[in-house]
Amino acid sequence: AQTVTQSQPEMSVQEAETVTLSCTYDTSESDYYLFWYKQPPSRQMILVIRQEAYKQQNATENRFSVNFQKAAKSFSLKISDSQLGDAAMYFCAYRSVTSGTYKYIFGTGTRLKVLA
Amino acid sequence: EAGVAQSPRYKIIEKRQSVAFWCNPISGHATLYWYQQILGQGPKLLIQFQNNGVVDDSQLPKDRFSAERLKGVDSTLKIQPAKLEDSAVYLCASSLEGGGISTYEQYFGPGTRLTVT
């Protein structure tokens, strides 16, 4: 069975600094999708960034980028030039795309605090 | 484009009572998810629909939870009877799916916060 692990319950970063959130996963599948979602306090969860497993190139969305290491089953999120609005819970998620299995699994989350 | 709608936003019930949650996904989204998110934890998938068929309900406590998605659009999630440990936020999400990775992005509703006393 697939699992997603976020080993950092909480992280802090100074405004304008860079922070990296860790995520590891376990799977026997060769093709899958990985996502980072953001859940601000009392607000809806939204997608931050996504990555196809078959792509070696790391995804980038403005200040957000990932370090995808397929062999190590690692998918970390880097936030550059952190802003106060980045404060939220961040969830790493795995989505199977193998026919017959449609698991969408979330990690336990990392709470990011941004210090002014 | 309207987002995923959920109601009610908050619900307080006593244990052993029943409760129902409603979700209206984004128009055209074939896949609908119900998640349970206990405070401080990540969302746990309860059930996933593809149109009006169930794709995965392996983590749905079927002795007390039920869900349906009539006509492949709206969905309701019911708990009967509720237990104290059911206190959580119940999230509904939808996605288009069937194309590239962008179609697998989930759009979440605001959630329903359930308190069982």
Side-chain angles (χ1 to χ4, degrees):
Chain A
Q2 296 87 1
T3 58
V4 176
T5 301
Q6 293 179 251
S7 58
Q8 306 154 315
E10 189 171 293
M11 294 281 286
S12 295
V13 62
Q14 290 286 343
E15 199 174 3
E17 297 290 303
T18 296
V19 65
T20 299
L21 309 184
S22 301
C23 173
T24 59
Y25 58 95
D26 189 28
T27 184
S28 59
E29 299 176 334
S30 59
D31 195 17
Y32 46 88
Y33 297 146
L34 296 167
F35 304 86
W36 278 98
Y37 284 87
K38 170 185 177 181
Q39 189 175 39
S42 302
R43 296 183 62 184
Q44 291 168 231
M45 195 171 319
I46 57 173
L47 179 72
V48 175
I49 198 166
R50 55 191 172 222
Q51 173 83 42
E52 295 102 320
Y54 67 85
K55 284 190 175 179
Q56 292 186 338
Q57 185 174 7
N58 290 323
T60 299
E61 286 287 343
N62 301 313
R63 298 182 295 107
F64 298 87
S65 61
V66 299
N67 183 4
F68 173 50
Q69 303 289 330
K70 189 173 184 180
K73 297 179 182 176
S74 172
F75 183 60
S76 60
L77 173 70
K78 186 172 82 171
I79 306 174
S80 303
D81 185 25
S82 297
Q83 301 175 359
L84 294 177
D86 295 333
M89 284 291 290
Y90 287 82
F91 294 98
C92 178
Y94 172 101
R95 176 57 157 88
S96 171
V97 294
T98 301
S99 178
T101 61
Y102 299 96
K103 294 292 186 181
Y104 210 122
I105 302 168
F106 283 82
T108 52
T110 296
R111 182 176 302 280
L112 179 65
K113 295 184 176 181
V114 181
L115 309 174
Chain B
E1 177 182 82
V4 176
Q6 288 188 249
S7 67
R9 293 294 309 277
Y10 305 91
K11 190 74 176 179
I12 301 174
I13 62 172
E14 296 182 349
K15 59 183 179 182
R16 291 187 290 273
Q17 287 186 324
S18 63
V19 64
F21 312 127
W22 173 82
C23 174
N24 186 19
I26 291 175
S27 177
H29 280 193
T31 305
L32 185 147
Y33 304 81
W34 281 104
Y35 292 93
Q36 180 191 60
Q37 187 176 22
I38 293 173
L39 186 64
Q41 299 182 17
K44 183 182 87 170
L45 180 67
L46 292 176
I47 189 167
Q48 178 182 343
F49 292 95
Q50 181 80 12
N51 296 308
N52 61 347
V54 176
V55 172
D56 184 351
D57 64 356
S58 58
Q59 298 191 94
L60 186 74
K62 297 180 185 64
D63 57 334
R64 298 185 301 106
F65 286 65
S66 64
E68 60 181 7
R69 190 183 184 195
L70 298 177
K71 300 180 181 178
V73 182
D74 293 9
S75 178
T76 57
L77 176 70
K78 297 179 181 178
I79 307 175
Q80 181 180 9
K83 293 185 176 182
L84 295 176
E85 58 261 36
D86 297 332
S87 294
V89 175
Y90 291 84
L91 298 170
C92 179
S94 69
S95 60
L96 188 58
E97 300 198 6
I101 186 173
S102 64
T103 69
Y104 287 85
E105 174 183 350
Q106 291 195 26
Y107 293 81
F108 286 82
T112 297
R113 184 177 298 277
L114 174 67
T115 302
V116 182
T117 63

